[in-house]
Amino acid sequence: MRIAVVDLVCIQGGGYSVLKSLFEYVVSGMSKDHKWLFIVSRQKFESNAYVKVIHFPNAASGYLQRVKTEWLEVNKVLNDFVPDIVLSMPNIRVFGCKWKQAVYMQQSLPFQKEKKFSFLKKEERSCAFRQHIQGLIIRKSLKKSEMVFVQTEWVKCALEECIRNRPIIKIGYPADQIGSSFAAQTKELNRAFFYPASPYIYKNHRAIFAAIKILRKKGYSLKVYLTLNLSDLGTGGNQYAELSDVIECIGQQSKAQMRELYARTTLVFPSYIETVGLPLAEARAAGAWIIASDCPFSHEVLEGYPNCEYFDPFNATQLADCMERVITGRVVWRSIPYTGDTNENCWDKMMMCLARESDTK
């Protein structure tokens, strides 16, 4: 089977991590019986015995440049390669492509029901564009695809409500993004909390800031670690300067640093829009106590996990109550037996589906 993977968009963040996981799966020889071509922009991938890589670095300069590159250059490469199927990673089909296409869909914002963003509010305009305009483009594109791959059941169900004529296949998320689970025997809960998230509005840092103010009025001392820079806390960082004795901005962390933080803190996760919510899966693997937003993705990732509780992400008082129970020792952490890493490889699942589609005429 001849497979072309196209991603001119994901050069950082979660989307890049997924693409990198797939690339490493291919270059390791896990799918060596197939002919692979990766068409990317600035991602630092190199060709080897199992895969050929072609770069179009200018495509990452903007949306219009990406469209132009796909029309004029990517499609020429695809026509020379003659793929059995094209796998488009960034949520929509390759423009102008005449070959069969499968789409890897990981943009959940247009399909969530927790929040309707407004173009009239300056801080919401970017999300409003992604929800309403980009969402319309994604829906139309997915309806023309041979199949759609998703990471979670809730996204699958959401897509099935509006895309009825194409198979939507849940394959899960790459296990190498999470790390191995282990047998956690003890956990000493304390006054330290951790929230790894970027400064997007739907990550909902405001709920944490409001909860901190409630707890301080009650006389509690605590520490909250955020993977932000100081400038992300509002204009010049001044908006939340009064909380500087509680909040510590630690910037991006390595996997090893993240695991250490999960081991000694409580994860607070007020985000209300996620496809998976990887910190939830990471904290679960580390045996952490988790305070999570009461949303479909949280319940799916944490299903069967005993050391968590949920709160309304739009109710800071509920979050403060959950944090107060941790501070005062009123939560009961339970040991977790190690059951092994039994998750199927999501890329193996994808390959089986692509092979079946390639065999159809």
Side-chain angles (χ1 to χ4, degrees):
M1 181 167 57
R2 300 173 68 84
I3 307 169
V5 179
V6 181
D7 192 336
L8 304 178
V9 179
C10 300
I11 58 177
Q12 61 183 352
Y16 172 74
S17 297
V18 171
L19 179 65
K20 183 172 181 285
S21 175
L22 173 59
F23 183 77
E24 290 174 348
Y25 171 85
V26 174
V27 300
S28 69
M30 293 294 289
S31 190
K32 61 184 178 182
D33 294 332
H34 306 291
K35 182 86 171 175
W36 288 87
L37 171 66
F38 273 65
I39 302 175
V40 296
S41 56
R42 299 174 187 168
Q43 300 92 330
K44 294 181 179 180
F45 298 159
E46 300 296 335
S47 301
N48 78 346
Y50 300 114
V51 58
K52 181 179 180 181
V53 180
I54 296 178
H55 293 87
F56 292 105
N58 291 335
S61 301
Y63 182 76
L64 293 179
Q65 184 61 46
R66 170 196 164 190
V67 173
K68 178 182 176 182
T69 302
E70 289 187 358
W71 271 103
L72 300 180
E73 299 180 83
V74 171
N75 279 299
K76 183 179 183 302
V77 172
L78 290 174
N79 292 338
D80 291 340
F81 181 65
V82 190
D84 292 300
I85 195 160
V86 175
L87 174 61
S88 181
M89 295 298 288
N91 307 309
I92 62 174
R93 292 165 52 88
V94 177
F95 294 103
C97 178
K98 69 180 183 180
W99 306 100
K100 285 184 176 182
Q101 290 196 59
V103 176
Y104 189 91
M105 218 296 297
Q106 50 188 323
Q107 173 57 274
S108 61
L109 197 154
F111 304 98
Q112 55 80 35
K113 298 179 180 178
E114 276 69 33
K115 173 76 172 180
K116 185 176 181 180
F117 292 98
S118 172
F119 287 103
L120 300 178
K121 297 179 180 179
K122 182 178 179 181
E123 70 274 15
E124 294 186 8
R125 284 173 190 162
S126 174
C127 290
F129 175 83
R130 291 160 65 187
Q131 183 175 31
H132 305 298
I133 306 302
Q134 191 180 63
L136 179 62
I137 296 172
I138 289 174
R139 287 182 178 89
K140 288 186 174 181
S141 178
L142 297 184
K143 290 177 181 179
K144 299 178 181 179
S145 304
E146 270 62 42
M147 64 182 66
V148 181
F149 296 113
V150 299
Q151 296 176 328
T152 54
E153 187 66 26
W154 87 262
V155 173
K156 180 177 185 291
C157 293
L159 289 182
E160 286 175 341
E161 292 182 7
C162 56
I163 302 168
R164 303 182 185 277
N165 62 340
R166 290 292 183 266
I168 300 167
I169 304 161
K170 174 194 169 185
I171 60 172
Y173 40 85
D176 55 7
Q177 289 188 276
I178 307 303
S180 298
S181 301
F182 65 95
Q185 299 300 325
T186 60
K187 171 78 174 180
E188 183 178 347
L189 300 178
N190 53 40
R191 297 169 180 261
F193 300 86
F194 178 41
Y195 183 34
S198 52
Y200 296 122
I201 187 171
Y202 56 82
K203 296 296 184 178
N204 201 20
H205 288 84
R206 294 175 180 176
I208 293 180
F209 302 139
I212 290 172
K213 292 176 181 179
I214 293 171
L215 292 169
R216 287 181 58 170
K217 285 183 179 180
K218 292 184 175 182
Y220 293 112
S221 61
L222 65 155
K223 197 73 174 179
V224 179
Y225 299 96
L226 305 176
T227 55
L228 298 177
N229 298 312
L230 184 60
S231 59
D232 294 323
L233 295 179
T235 305
N238 295 324
Q239 186 177 1
Y240 303 105
E242 62 180 289
L243 306 178
S244 60
D245 60 322
V246 174
I247 296 170
E248 185 170 337
C249 295
I250 57 178
Q252 292 187 346
Q253 301 290 291
S254 68
K255 285 188 176 182
Q257 291 171 321
M258 293 278 285
R259 192 173 181 86
E260 186 271 333
L261 282 159
Y262 289 134
R264 66 180 178 86
T265 65
T266 291
L267 176 69
V268 179
F269 202 80
S271 175
Y272 49 84
I273 299 177
E274 301 285 341
T275 300
V276 177
L278 283 177
L280 296 172
E282 292 170 342
R284 174 176 180 159
W289 185 265
I290 300 172
I291 302 172
S293 56
D294 190 3
C295 297
F297 64 84
S298 300
H299 286 277
E300 182 169 345
V301 173
L302 298 175
E303 182 179 5
Y305 185 66
N307 297 315
C308 62
E309 59 180 330
Y310 301 94
F311 67 98
D312 179 349
F314 303 105
N315 189 325
T317 300
Q318 282 190 19
L319 173 56
D321 289 343
C322 292
M323 296 172 72
E324 182 178 9
R325 284 194 286 274
V326 173
I327 293 170
T328 57
R330 288 185 284 132
V331 299
V332 179
W333 186 90
R334 283 173 277 182
S335 61
I336 309 157
Y338 177 68
T339 56
D341 297 310
T342 58
N343 290 335
E344 294 181 64
N345 188 304
C346 66
W347 306 128
D348 285 342
K349 293 182 185 179
M350 175 182 282
M351 287 307 305
M352 288 188 290
C353 296
L354 292 177
R356 285 196 297 267
E357 180 58 37
S358 176
D359 290 339
T360 62
K361 302 297 182 182

